Every structure is written in structure tokens, then in C-alpha cells.
Coordinates of all heavy atoms in Angstrom, one line a residue:
D1 N 87.6 123.3 40.1 CA 87.4 122.2 41.0 C 88.8 121.8 41.7 O 89.8 121.9 41.1 CB 86.9 120.9 40.4 CG 85.4 121.1 40.0 OD1 84.9 122.1 40.3 OD2 85.0 120.1 39.3
V2 N 88.7 121.6 43.0 CA 90.0 121.1 43.7 C 89.8 119.6 44.1 O 88.8 119.2 44.6 CB 90.2 121.9 45.0 CG1 91.4 121.4 45.8 CG2 90.4 123.4 44.6
M3 N 90.8 118.8 43.7 CA 90.7 117.4 43.9 C 91.8 117.1 45.0 O 92.9 117.3 45.0 CB 91.1 116.7 42.6 CG 90.3 117.1 41.4 SD 88.7 116.6 41.4 CE 88.8 114.8 41.2
V4 N 91.2 116.4 46.1 CA 92.0 116.1 47.2 C 92.0 114.6 47.4 O 90.9 114.0 47.4 CB 91.6 116.7 48.5 CG1 92.5 116.3 49.7 CG2 91.6 118.3 48.3
T5 N 93.2 114.0 47.5 CA 93.3 112.5 47.7 C 93.6 112.3 49.2 O 94.6 112.8 49.6 CB 94.3 111.8 46.8 OG1 93.9 112.1 45.4 CG2 94.3 110.3 47.0
L6 N 92.8 111.5 49.8 CA 93.1 111.2 51.3 C 93.8 109.8 51.3 O 93.6 109.0 50.4 CB 91.8 111.1 52.1 CG 91.0 112.4 52.1 CD1 89.7 112.2 52.9 CD2 91.8 113.5 52.8
S7 N 94.5 109.5 52.5 CA 95.0 108.2 52.8 C 94.7 107.8 54.2 O 94.5 108.7 55.0 CB 96.5 108.1 52.5 OG 97.2 109.0 53.3
T8 N 94.6 106.6 54.5 CA 94.4 106.1 55.8 C 95.4 105.2 56.3 O 96.0 104.4 55.6 CB 93.0 105.4 56.0 OG1 93.0 104.3 55.1 CG2 91.9 106.4 55.6
A9 N 95.7 105.2 57.6 CA 96.6 104.3 58.3 C 96.2 104.1 59.7 O 95.0 104.4 60.0 CB 98.1 104.9 58.2
G10 N 97.1 103.5 60.5 CA 96.6 103.4 61.9 C 96.5 101.9 62.3 O 96.7 101.0 61.5
T11 N 95.9 101.6 63.5 CA 95.8 100.3 63.9 C 94.5 99.6 63.4 O 94.3 98.4 63.5 CB 95.8 100.2 65.5 OG1 94.7 101.1 66.0 CG2 97.1 100.8 66.1
A12 N 93.6 100.4 63.0 CA 92.3 99.9 62.5 C 92.5 99.3 61.1 O 93.3 99.9 60.3 CB 91.2 100.9 62.4
S13 N 91.9 98.2 60.7 CA 92.0 97.6 59.4 C 90.8 97.8 58.6 O 89.8 98.4 59.0 CB 92.3 96.1 59.5 OG 91.2 95.5 60.1
A14 N 90.8 97.4 57.3 CA 89.8 97.5 56.4 C 88.5 96.8 56.9 O 87.4 97.2 56.5 CB 90.1 97.1 55.0
S15 N 88.7 95.9 57.8 CA 87.5 95.1 58.3 C 86.8 95.9 59.4 O 85.7 95.4 59.9 CB 87.9 93.7 58.7 OG 88.8 93.8 59.8
D16 N 87.5 96.9 59.9 CA 86.9 97.6 61.0 C 86.1 98.8 60.7 O 85.3 99.3 61.5 CB 88.0 98.1 62.0 CG 88.9 96.9 62.5 OD1 88.2 96.0 63.1 OD2 90.1 97.0 62.4
Y17 N 86.1 99.3 59.4 CA 85.4 100.4 59.1 C 85.3 100.5 57.5 O 86.0 99.9 56.8 CB 86.1 101.7 59.6 CG 87.5 102.0 58.9 CD1 87.5 102.9 57.8 CD2 88.6 101.4 59.3 CE1 88.8 103.1 57.2 CE2 89.9 101.6 58.7 CZ 89.9 102.5 57.7 OH 91.1 102.8 57.1
S18 N 84.3 101.4 57.1 CA 84.2 101.7 55.6 C 84.2 103.2 55.5 O 84.0 104.0 56.4 CB 82.9 101.1 55.1 OG 81.8 101.8 55.7
I19 N 84.8 103.6 54.4 CA 84.9 105.1 54.0 C 84.2 105.3 52.7 O 84.3 104.5 51.8 CB 86.3 105.6 54.1 CG1 86.3 107.1 53.9 CG2 87.2 104.9 53.0 CD1 87.7 107.7 54.2
S20 N 83.4 106.4 52.6 CA 82.6 106.6 51.4 C 83.5 107.0 50.2 O 83.0 107.1 49.1 CB 81.5 107.7 51.7 OG 82.1 108.9 52.1
G21 N 84.7 107.3 50.5 CA 85.7 107.6 49.3 C 86.9 108.3 49.8 O 86.9 108.9 50.9
L22 N 88.0 108.0 49.1 CA 89.2 108.7 49.4 C 89.5 109.8 48.5 O 90.5 110.6 48.6 CB 90.4 107.7 49.3 CG 90.4 106.6 50.4 CD1 91.5 105.6 50.1 CD2 90.6 107.2 51.8
Q23 N 88.7 110.0 47.5 CA 88.8 111.1 46.5 C 87.8 112.2 46.9 O 86.6 111.9 46.9 CB 88.7 110.7 45.1 CG 89.7 109.6 44.6 CD 91.1 110.2 44.5 OE1 91.3 111.3 44.2 NE2 92.0 109.3 44.7
V24 N 88.2 113.4 47.2 CA 87.3 114.4 47.6 C 87.4 115.5 46.6 O 88.5 116.1 46.3 CB 87.6 115.0 49.0 CG1 86.6 116.1 49.4 CG2 87.6 113.9 50.0
T25 N 86.2 115.9 46.0 CA 86.2 117.0 45.1 C 85.4 118.2 45.7 O 84.3 118.1 46.1 CB 85.4 116.6 43.8 OG1 86.1 115.4 43.2 CG2 85.4 117.8 42.8
I26 N 86.1 119.3 45.7 CA 85.5 120.6 46.2 C 85.2 121.4 44.9 O 86.1 121.8 44.2 CB 86.5 121.3 47.2 CG1 86.8 120.5 48.3 CG2 85.8 122.6 47.6 CD1 87.9 121.1 49.3
P27 N 83.9 121.5 44.6 CA 83.5 122.2 43.4 C 84.0 123.7 43.3 O 84.2 124.3 44.4 CB 82.0 122.2 43.4 CG 81.7 121.0 44.3 CD 82.7 121.0 45.4
A28 N 84.2 124.2 42.2 CA 84.6 125.6 42.0 C 83.6 126.5 42.7 O 82.4 126.3 42.6 CB 84.7 125.9 40.6
G29 N 84.1 127.5 43.5 CA 83.3 128.3 44.3 C 82.9 127.9 45.7 O 82.4 128.7 46.4
D30 N 83.1 126.6 45.9 CA 82.8 126.1 47.3 C 84.1 126.0 48.1 O 85.3 126.2 47.6 CB 82.3 124.7 47.2 CG 80.8 124.7 46.7 OD1 80.3 125.8 46.6 OD2 80.3 123.6 46.4
T31 N 84.0 125.9 49.4 CA 85.1 125.8 50.3 C 85.3 124.5 51.1 O 86.2 124.4 51.9 CB 85.1 127.0 51.3 OG1 83.9 126.9 52.0 CG2 85.3 128.3 50.6
A32 N 84.4 123.6 50.9 CA 84.5 122.3 51.7 C 83.7 121.2 51.0 O 82.8 121.4 50.2 CB 84.0 122.5 53.1
A33 N 84.2 120.0 51.2 CA 83.5 118.8 50.8 C 83.8 117.7 51.9 O 84.9 117.8 52.6 CB 83.8 118.3 49.5
A34 N 83.0 116.6 52.0 CA 83.3 115.7 53.0 C 83.0 114.2 52.6 O 82.3 114.0 51.6 CB 82.4 116.0 54.2
V35 N 83.6 113.2 53.3 CA 83.3 111.9 53.2 C 83.0 111.4 54.5 O 83.1 112.0 55.6 CB 84.5 111.1 52.6 CG1 84.8 111.5 51.2 CG2 85.7 111.3 53.5
T36 N 82.4 110.1 54.6 CA 81.9 109.6 55.8 C 82.6 108.2 56.2 O 82.8 107.4 55.3 CB 80.4 109.3 55.8 OG1 79.7 110.5 55.5 CG2 79.9 108.7 57.1
I37 N 83.1 108.1 57.4 CA 83.6 106.9 57.9 C 82.6 106.2 58.8 O 82.0 106.8 59.7 CB 84.9 107.1 58.6 CG1 86.0 107.6 57.6 CG2 85.4 105.8 59.4 CD1 87.4 107.8 58.3

């Protein structure tokens, strides 16, 4: 498994959007995984 940690910045604040997670796990044998904003 590959573990990727995302970070967010910019002019939008936490009250402007939600994100389904900042930790993304790409299972062994796969090539992609996603989160939703």
C-alpha cells in the first residue's frame, strides 16, 4: 500500500468546503485513489 498525505491552503477557509479526507491510500496493485471536495 502507498500512503499519501495531502495538505490544503489558499484563500478558501474550512467554512467554505469539506474534504472527504487528507489521507489517501492506494492499495497494493492499484495505481490511483481519490478524495472528494
